[in-house]
Amino acid sequence: MVFSLPKRLFSCSSLLRNRAIIYTSNGPVTQALSIITYQPLPPPPPNTINIKFILAPINPADLNTIEGVYPSKPSLSSNLSSSGKGSKDEPVFVAGNEGLAEVVDVGEGVSGLEKGTWVVMDKPQVGTWATSRNVGVKDVIRLPFGKLNGLSEAHGATMTVNPTTAYNMLDSFIQLSEGDWIIQNGANSAVGKLVIQIAKIRGLKTINFVRSRDNLSELVKELEKLGATKVLTYDDLYDKSIRGKVKEWTGGKDIRLALNCVGGEPAAAIAKLLGSNAHLVSYGAMSKKPLSLPTSLFIFKNLTSHGFWQTRWSKENSRHKKAALIGTLAEWMTQGKLKAPDHENLTIFRHDSDEEATQKVRETLRRVAEGKVGKKVLFKLEDVNA
Ligand SMILES: NC(=O)c1ccc[n+]([C@@H]2O[C@H](COP(=O)([O-])OP(=O)(O)OC[C@H]3O[C@@H](n4cnc5c(N)ncnc54)[C@H](OP(=O)(O)O)[C@@H]3O)[C@@H](O)[C@H]2O)c1
């Protein structure tokens, strides 16, 4: 008679090993990144929690961070393994800034966070492209809603960067009232779509510019469905007739806020459509072209040109204010007023070897860097049997 031990003795969660997408020095994403498998997390020390990531997005800034050209830097991790990569002798950077995680264990002295609670990151560059991490209680913000309340994993995973940016840019520079107009380029970016939706909630009207493409009419319909008032291409923006059209739509009312994530000519051209005492807010430079503005806009129209960085906003504002903003956004999401971004999940399966997983990650990042994906890619890393 063959005697076998119950399987669950070998499959309890404490025996699952972790995975992370790491780099040891800055460089192109297709070369710098690799996957390591590391030991299960020990129980959390006091005032810390162990969290398990559910989904974590690739944002444009993640690529810049890995390349070493982004001002917000991660810290080295040296406690993942006792030897090799991730150990004291070979510390690594764990990539990823944003993500949705579930609390799996709480240390002594932790209150308000229980096993199963969904959290998002408050601290930048925590290293979210991993299965599990140990973090301080103040490194995360508890989500007021979870999957049982209708919040999707994709909503949660993309909560702290783009929706907050869109909300704050509409809120921080000028007081806008219902019926006011704003203008933006890169309107089909994830941030641009959130600007459209939040503007709609606030009763603001939007003039949106995008790059021309084969399926332009589909994109126009999609943005209009989100609440865009007008959607046009940069060719329309550079046409002399645009000034007259805008005047007709707005009834001559000055536009006082322009949002720019592209730079170069599409930025200067939207600035030229602004009225007096207006604000141009730049939050990205997707074209990699410098921002160059006619001096006359400053002299004769009293234009103010600002930069917005959500990381700075986050440092300058209280946890209470941040949690309140997350609460507002999460509520709108559960009410169907803010759509999750178009996305595809990239799963790193338990059975993928580190080498196979590394190839998958590099290939995906290559497509993202070349602008070939057209939607958000969200990492789902499975832990590995011991
Ligand atoms: N400052 C902050 O706090 C903050 C926060 C969040 C995001 N951001 C920045 O906001 C930008 C958008 O982020 P996202 O996550 O919304 O990105 P996303 O969804 O990946 O969208 C990228 C956008 O950039 C456009 N684009 C790409 N290359 C371009 C080029 N050469 N010329 C003109 N347009 C180009 C794309 O248009 P096509 O569809 O035509 O390719 C698309 O509209 C990024 O620069 C990001 O770093 C900044």
Side-chain angles (χ1 to χ4, degrees):
M1 187 183 176
V2 181
F3 181 73
S4 64
L5 285 167
K7 271 194 182 143
R8 64 191 166 81
L9 279 184
F10 297 97
S11 61
C12 83
S13 62
S14 64
L15 285 183
L16 291 173
R17 290 190 299 153
N18 288 300
R19 277 230 160 129
I21 301 173
I22 58 109
Y23 54 106
T24 49
S25 56
N26 294 120
V29 284
T30 48
Q31 292 165 26
L33 294 174
S34 59
I35 283 242
I36 57 165
T37 298
Y38 57 99
Q39 59 209 15
L41 294 183
N47 299 315
T48 72
I49 53 175
N50 286 350
I51 56 174
K52 185 172 166 58
F53 284 99
I54 298 170
L55 275 181
I58 303 174
N59 286 318
D62 293 320
L63 278 66
N64 304 139
T65 307
I66 296 159
E67 286 160 0
V69 294
Y70 199 69
S72 168
K73 314 266 182 212
S75 328
L76 283 164
S77 293
S78 58
N79 58 355
L80 305 179
S81 297
S82 47
S83 62
K85 280 188 177 162
S87 68
K88 282 200 178 79
D89 296 332
E90 285 185 66
V92 295
F93 297 109
V94 179
N97 173 54
E98 191 181 26
L100 170 69
E102 181 175 334
V103 177
V104 288
D105 205 353
V106 298
E108 224 180 278
V110 174
S111 62
L113 291 169
E114 309 85 39
K115 211 174 156 188
T117 307
W118 274 12
V119 292
V120 290
M121 303 309 109
D122 190 18
K123 186 179 165 186
Q125 308 297 342
V126 161
T128 58
W129 297 357
T131 46
S132 299
R133 306 292 320 259
N134 172 255
V135 294
V137 280
K138 291 198 173 148
D139 295 341
V140 300
I141 289 181
R142 181 193 177 113
L143 284 184
F145 301 99
K147 61 183 160 207
L148 296 178
N149 313 95
L151 195 71
S152 71
E153 292 180 350
H155 269 133
T158 56
M159 173 84 70
T160 51
V161 176
N162 290 341
T164 50
T165 298
Y167 182 99
N168 285 325
M169 289 193 301
L170 289 173
D171 192 55
S172 304
F173 297 94
I174 187 164
Q175 204 166 0
L176 294 165
S177 312
E178 212 174 319
D180 282 347
W181 290 76
I182 67 136
I183 192 165
Q184 65 168 340
N185 59 29
N188 64 323
S189 66
V191 176
K193 288 179 182 175
L194 286 152
V195 165
I196 291 170
Q197 294 170 87
I198 296 171
K200 184 183 172 199
I201 294 169
R202 292 190 47 187
L204 306 172
K205 300 194 170 158
T206 56
I207 303 176
N208 302 279
F209 292 97
V210 297
R211 284 201 281 194
S212 192
R213 64 202 65 223
D214 289 344
N215 60 349
L216 179 67
S217 60
E218 276 171 42
L219 177 61
V220 172
K221 270 189 214 142
E222 183 198 340
L223 299 188
E224 284 175 350
K225 209 168 157 202
L226 292 177
T229 318
K230 299 286 173 192
V231 183
L232 300 106
T233 67
Y234 299 131
D235 300 329
D236 300 319
L237 177 61
Y238 307 146
D239 194 283
K240 282 200 177 84
S241 64
I242 190 69
R243 201 170 279 280
K245 284 182 185 157
V246 167
K247 204 170 171 187
E248 198 181 304
W249 298 330
T250 59
K253 195 173 184 179
D254 273 353
I255 303 176
R256 290 178 303 145
L257 181 67
L259 305 177
N260 160 43
C261 74
V262 176
E265 192 47 27
I270 58 169
K272 286 181 195 165
L273 294 176
L274 290 168
S276 291
N277 303 314
H279 298 256
L280 170 70
V281 178
S282 297
Y283 66 99
M286 290 304 296
S287 72
K288 300 197 165 99
K289 301 257 169 57
L291 179 62
S292 171
L293 298 168
T295 311
S296 57
L297 295 182
F298 294 94
I299 300 175
F300 303 118
K301 286 193 166 173
N302 198 26
L303 174 74
T304 309
S305 175
H306 311 257
F308 177 81
W309 192 27
Q310 180 56 30
T311 306
R312 185 171 54 239
W313 184 94
S314 199
K315 270 189 202 143
E316 289 171 354
N317 286 275
S318 67
R319 276 176 63 75
H320 178 72
K321 191 162 176 185
K322 285 183 262 183
L325 174 54
I326 296 288
T328 300
L329 294 167
E331 189 172 4
W332 285 341
M333 289 168 183
T334 59
Q335 291 168 346
K337 292 179 181 169
L338 293 185
K339 269 185 69 179
D342 294 338
H343 62 276
E344 64 181 42
N345 291 355
L346 177 74
T347 306
I348 303 299
F349 293 107
R350 180 161 298 163
H351 58 72
D352 289 333
S353 68
D354 283 355
E355 291 70 30
E356 285 164 343
T358 297
Q359 284 318 312
K360 249 188 187 179
V361 168
R362 289 183 179 183
E363 172 55 19
T364 303
L365 267 295
R366 183 186 63 74
R367 289 194 303 125
V368 172
E370 289 172 359
K372 289 190 173 154
V373 185
K375 38 175 99 159
K376 275 280 161 234
V377 180
L378 307 174
F379 280 123
K380 194 170 194 65
L381 270 73
E382 291 186 349
D383 34 28
V384 179
N385 292 327

mmCIF file of all heavy atoms in Angstrom, residues 7 20 25 34 75 81 85 112 121 126 129 134 150 164 177 182 216 230 239 250-251 259 266 280 318 359 361 382 384:
data_model
loop_
_atom_site.group_PDB
_atom_site.id
_atom_site.type_symbol
_atom_site.label_atom_id
_atom_site.label_comp_id
_atom_site.label_asym_id
_atom_site.label_seq_id
_atom_site.Cartn_x
_atom_site.Cartn_y
_atom_site.Cartn_z
ATOM 1 N N LYS A 7 -1.654 16.773 -0.030
ATOM 2 C CA LYS A 7 -0.981 17.757 -0.892
ATOM 3 C C LYS A 7 -0.905 19.138 -0.264
ATOM 4 O O LYS A 7 0.033 19.888 -0.489
ATOM 5 C CB LYS A 7 -1.734 17.864 -2.216
ATOM 6 C CG LYS A 7 -1.228 16.880 -3.219
ATOM 7 C CD LYS A 7 -1.751 17.259 -4.569
ATOM 8 C CE LYS A 7 -1.288 16.255 -5.596
ATOM 9 N NZ LYS A 7 -2.269 15.978 -6.599
ATOM 10 N N ALA A 20 9.969 39.088 -9.218
ATOM 11 C CA ALA A 20 10.005 40.539 -9.435
ATOM 12 C C ALA A 20 10.723 40.847 -10.736
ATOM 13 O O ALA A 20 11.611 40.100 -11.164
ATOM 14 C CB ALA A 20 10.729 41.222 -8.273
ATOM 15 N N SER A 25 21.252 48.231 -13.191
ATOM 16 C CA SER A 25 21.741 49.557 -13.597
ATOM 17 C C SER A 25 20.802 50.090 -14.666
ATOM 18 O O SER A 25 20.100 49.311 -15.333
ATOM 19 C CB SER A 25 23.171 49.485 -14.123
ATOM 20 O OG SER A 25 23.218 48.566 -15.171
ATOM 21 N N SER A 34 15.213 42.200 -16.013
ATOM 22 C CA SER A 34 15.142 40.738 -15.977
ATOM 23 C C SER A 34 14.216 40.336 -14.832
ATOM 24 O O SER A 34 13.793 41.184 -14.037
ATOM 25 C CB SER A 34 16.524 40.116 -15.814
ATOM 26 O OG SER A 34 17.105 40.581 -14.630
ATOM 27 N N SER A 75 14.664 52.921 -4.490
ATOM 28 C CA SER A 75 15.817 52.551 -3.649
ATOM 29 C C SER A 75 16.197 51.115 -3.983
ATOM 30 O O SER A 75 15.369 50.342 -4.473
ATOM 31 C CB SER A 75 15.470 52.590 -2.162
ATOM 32 O OG SER A 75 14.538 53.554 -1.890
ATOM 33 N N SER A 81 16.752 38.085 -1.278
ATOM 34 C CA SER A 81 17.391 36.763 -1.262
ATOM 35 C C SER A 81 18.568 36.784 -0.310
ATOM 36 O O SER A 81 19.079 37.852 0.040
ATOM 37 C CB SER A 81 17.935 36.432 -2.661
ATOM 38 O OG SER A 81 16.884 36.349 -3.565
ATOM 39 N N LYS A 85 21.222 37.779 -6.887
ATOM 40 C CA LYS A 85 20.506 39.042 -7.137
ATOM 41 C C LYS A 85 19.417 39.278 -6.093
ATOM 42 O O LYS A 85 18.631 38.374 -5.812
ATOM 43 C CB LYS A 85 19.882 39.022 -8.531
ATOM 44 C CG LYS A 85 20.900 39.330 -9.599
ATOM 45 C CD LYS A 85 20.271 39.513 -10.946
ATOM 46 C CE LYS A 85 21.357 39.891 -11.938
ATOM 47 N NZ LYS A 85 20.949 39.696 -13.304
ATOM 48 N N GLY A 112 -6.402 49.456 11.034
ATOM 49 C CA GLY A 112 -7.102 50.008 9.859
ATOM 50 C C GLY A 112 -6.784 49.287 8.562
ATOM 51 O O GLY A 112 -7.295 49.653 7.508
ATOM 52 N N MET A 121 -0.597 52.485 -3.914
ATOM 53 C CA MET A 121 0.653 53.010 -3.370
ATOM 54 C C MET A 121 0.574 54.510 -3.111
ATOM 55 O O MET A 121 0.081 55.263 -3.943
ATOM 56 C CB MET A 121 1.807 52.750 -4.354
ATOM 57 C CG MET A 121 2.008 51.297 -4.706
ATOM 58 S SD MET A 121 2.121 50.212 -3.263
ATOM 59 C CE MET A 121 0.563 49.343 -3.363
ATOM 60 N N VAL A 126 7.728 52.137 -5.235
ATOM 61 C CA VAL A 126 7.770 51.037 -4.266
ATOM 62 C C VAL A 126 8.358 49.762 -4.893
ATOM 63 O O VAL A 126 8.968 48.932 -4.211
ATOM 64 C CB VAL A 126 6.340 50.764 -3.714
ATOM 65 C CG1 VAL A 126 6.217 49.404 -3.086
ATOM 66 C CG2 VAL A 126 5.949 51.844 -2.718
ATOM 67 N N TRP A 129 6.201 45.930 -9.720
ATOM 68 C CA TRP A 129 6.208 44.832 -10.695
ATOM 69 C C TRP A 129 6.791 43.596 -10.008
ATOM 70 O O TRP A 129 7.883 43.117 -10.313
ATOM 71 C CB TRP A 129 7.029 45.208 -11.934
ATOM 72 C CG TRP A 129 6.479 46.369 -12.710
ATOM 73 C CD1 TRP A 129 5.334 47.069 -12.462
ATOM 74 C CD2 TRP A 129 7.054 46.985 -13.872
ATOM 75 N NE1 TRP A 129 5.162 48.079 -13.375
ATOM 76 C CE2 TRP A 129 6.217 48.045 -14.264
ATOM 77 C CE3 TRP A 129 8.206 46.754 -14.620
ATOM 78 C CZ2 TRP A 129 6.485 48.862 -15.356
ATOM 79 C CZ3 TRP A 129 8.484 47.562 -15.720
ATOM 80 C CH2 TRP A 129 7.620 48.587 -16.078
ATOM 81 N N ASN A 134 7.064 43.791 1.233
ATOM 82 C CA ASN A 134 6.791 44.284 2.575
ATOM 83 C C ASN A 134 6.894 45.804 2.511
ATOM 84 O O ASN A 134 7.878 46.328 1.985
ATOM 85 C CB ASN A 134 7.819 43.714 3.566
ATOM 86 C CG ASN A 134 7.693 44.354 4.926
ATOM 87 O OD1 ASN A 134 8.510 45.188 5.314
ATOM 88 N ND2 ASN A 134 6.652 44.011 5.648
ATOM 89 N N GLY A 150 -17.824 46.695 -6.725
ATOM 90 C CA GLY A 150 -17.874 47.024 -8.154
ATOM 91 C C GLY A 150 -16.652 47.711 -8.704
ATOM 92 O O GLY A 150 -16.656 48.150 -9.853
ATOM 93 N N THR A 164 -5.659 60.892 -10.790
ATOM 94 C CA THR A 164 -5.324 61.981 -9.862
ATOM 95 C C THR A 164 -4.741 63.164 -10.640
ATOM 96 O O THR A 164 -5.058 64.321 -10.359
ATOM 97 C CB THR A 164 -4.292 61.498 -8.814
ATOM 98 O OG1 THR A 164 -3.216 60.867 -9.498
ATOM 99 C CG2 THR A 164 -4.899 60.535 -7.818
ATOM 100 N N SER A 177 -15.874 77.013 -13.805
ATOM 101 C CA SER A 177 -17.288 76.830 -13.473
ATOM 102 C C SER A 177 -17.972 76.070 -14.599
ATOM 103 O O SER A 177 -17.479 76.041 -15.735
ATOM 104 C CB SER A 177 -17.993 78.176 -13.331
ATOM 105 O OG SER A 177 -17.239 79.009 -12.513
ATOM 106 N N ILE A 182 -12.212 74.021 -21.767
ATOM 107 C CA ILE A 182 -10.765 73.776 -21.670
ATOM 108 C C ILE A 182 -10.325 73.126 -22.980
ATOM 109 O O ILE A 182 -11.155 72.634 -23.756
ATOM 110 C CB ILE A 182 -10.398 72.884 -20.462
ATOM 111 C CG1 ILE A 182 -10.937 71.462 -20.646
ATOM 112 C CG2 ILE A 182 -10.896 73.441 -19.152
ATOM 113 C CD1 ILE A 182 -9.918 70.444 -20.259
ATOM 114 N N LEU A 216 -9.689 57.191 -37.562
ATOM 115 C CA LEU A 216 -9.952 58.413 -36.797
ATOM 116 C C LEU A 216 -11.410 58.508 -36.348
ATOM 117 O O LEU A 216 -11.696 58.868 -35.206
ATOM 118 C CB LEU A 216 -9.577 59.649 -37.629
ATOM 119 C CG LEU A 216 -9.825 60.986 -36.950
ATOM 120 C CD1 LEU A 216 -8.901 61.169 -35.746
ATOM 121 C CD2 LEU A 216 -9.636 62.148 -37.929
ATOM 122 N N LYS A 230 -15.657 68.486 -28.440
ATOM 123 C CA LYS A 230 -15.125 68.529 -29.810
ATOM 124 C C LYS A 230 -13.862 67.691 -29.867
ATOM 125 O O LYS A 230 -13.042 67.741 -28.932
ATOM 126 C CB LYS A 230 -14.772 69.971 -30.222
ATOM 127 C CG LYS A 230 -15.944 70.931 -30.213
ATOM 128 C CD LYS A 230 -16.851 70.686 -31.398
ATOM 129 C CE LYS A 230 -18.122 71.529 -31.285
ATOM 130 N NZ LYS A 230 -19.150 71.130 -32.243
ATOM 131 N N ASP A 239 -4.709 74.571 -38.988
ATOM 132 C CA ASP A 239 -5.429 75.251 -40.076
ATOM 133 C C ASP A 239 -5.896 76.627 -39.604
ATOM 134 O O ASP A 239 -6.348 76.786 -38.456
ATOM 135 C CB ASP A 239 -6.631 74.386 -40.483
ATOM 136 C CG ASP A 239 -7.223 74.840 -41.789
ATOM 137 O OD1 ASP A 239 -7.955 75.869 -41.782
ATOM 138 O OD2 ASP A 239 -6.939 74.196 -42.804
ATOM 139 N N THR A 250 -17.496 78.402 -28.660
ATOM 140 C CA THR A 250 -17.495 78.925 -27.283
ATOM 141 C C THR A 250 -18.388 80.160 -27.151
ATOM 142 O O THR A 250 -18.562 80.670 -26.038
ATOM 143 C CB THR A 250 -16.065 79.324 -26.841
ATOM 144 O OG1 THR A 250 -15.599 80.320 -27.758
ATOM 145 C CG2 THR A 250 -15.115 78.147 -26.821
ATOM 146 N N GLY A 251 -18.904 80.635 -28.266
ATOM 147 C CA GLY A 251 -19.699 81.869 -28.239
ATOM 148 C C GLY A 251 -18.815 83.054 -27.854
ATOM 149 O O GLY A 251 -19.304 84.008 -27.226
ATOM 150 N N LEU A 259 -4.185 71.953 -21.496
ATOM 151 C CA LEU A 259 -3.384 70.870 -20.919
ATOM 152 C C LEU A 259 -2.544 70.241 -22.023
ATOM 153 O O LEU A 259 -3.071 69.849 -23.069
ATOM 154 C CB LEU A 259 -4.311 69.817 -20.276
ATOM 155 C CG LEU A 259 -5.283 70.370 -19.227
ATOM 156 C CD1 LEU A 259 -6.197 69.263 -18.698
ATOM 157 C CD2 LEU A 259 -4.527 71.031 -18.072
ATOM 158 N N PRO A 266 2.178 71.040 -31.287
ATOM 159 C CA PRO A 266 0.825 70.877 -30.724
ATOM 160 C C PRO A 266 0.626 71.613 -29.399
ATOM 161 O O PRO A 266 -0.514 71.898 -29.008
ATOM 162 C CB PRO A 266 0.702 69.359 -30.511
ATOM 163 C CG PRO A 266 1.685 68.756 -31.444
ATOM 164 C CD PRO A 266 2.832 69.729 -31.516
ATOM 165 N N LEU A 280 -1.412 77.585 -19.280
ATOM 166 C CA LEU A 280 -1.001 76.402 -20.048
ATOM 167 C C LEU A 280 -0.300 75.480 -19.062
ATOM 168 O O LEU A 280 0.698 75.865 -18.447
ATOM 169 C CB LEU A 280 -0.031 76.795 -21.166
ATOM 170 C CG LEU A 280 0.646 75.618 -21.879
ATOM 171 C CD1 LEU A 280 -0.350 74.835 -22.729
ATOM 172 C CD2 LEU A 280 1.798 76.108 -22.764
ATOM 173 N N SER A 318 -1.497 66.381 2.218
ATOM 174 C CA SER A 318 -1.607 65.455 3.351
ATOM 175 C C SER A 318 -2.162 64.102 2.901
ATOM 176 O O SER A 318 -2.848 64.003 1.872
ATOM 177 C CB SER A 318 -2.533 66.058 4.402
ATOM 178 O OG SER A 318 -3.843 66.116 3.863
ATOM 179 N N GLN A 359 12.257 37.299 -21.276
ATOM 180 C CA GLN A 359 12.041 37.564 -22.705
ATOM 181 C C GLN A 359 10.674 38.204 -22.937
ATOM 182 O O GLN A 359 10.525 39.151 -23.708
ATOM 183 C CB GLN A 359 12.157 36.271 -23.534
ATOM 184 C CG GLN A 359 13.590 35.802 -23.733
ATOM 185 C CD GLN A 359 14.552 36.951 -24.038
ATOM 186 O OE1 GLN A 359 14.290 37.796 -24.882
ATOM 187 N NE2 GLN A 359 15.658 37.010 -23.312
ATOM 188 N N VAL A 361 8.864 39.947 -20.827
ATOM 189 C CA VAL A 361 8.839 41.317 -20.292
ATOM 190 C C VAL A 361 9.559 42.268 -21.253
ATOM 191 O O VAL A 361 9.051 43.337 -21.606
ATOM 192 C CB VAL A 361 9.506 41.350 -18.893
ATOM 193 C CG1 VAL A 361 9.765 42.780 -18.438
ATOM 194 C CG2 VAL A 361 8.633 40.628 -17.885
ATOM 195 N N GLU A 382 2.449 35.830 -11.312
ATOM 196 C CA GLU A 382 2.043 34.722 -10.431
ATOM 197 C C GLU A 382 3.225 34.310 -9.576
ATOM 198 O O GLU A 382 4.368 34.317 -10.051
ATOM 199 C CB GLU A 382 1.587 33.531 -11.267
ATOM 200 C CG GLU A 382 0.285 33.782 -12.002
ATOM 201 C CD GLU A 382 -0.240 32.546 -12.731
ATOM 202 O OE1 GLU A 382 0.491 31.547 -12.852
ATOM 203 O OE2 GLU A 382 -1.393 32.591 -13.177
ATOM 204 N N VAL A 384 5.472 31.545 -7.369
ATOM 205 C CA VAL A 384 6.068 30.308 -7.887
ATOM 206 C C VAL A 384 6.111 29.270 -6.779
ATOM 207 O O VAL A 384 6.451 29.602 -5.634
ATOM 208 C CB VAL A 384 7.515 30.620 -8.352
ATOM 209 C CG1 VAL A 384 8.198 29.371 -8.881
ATOM 210 C CG2 VAL A 384 7.508 31.708 -9.405
#
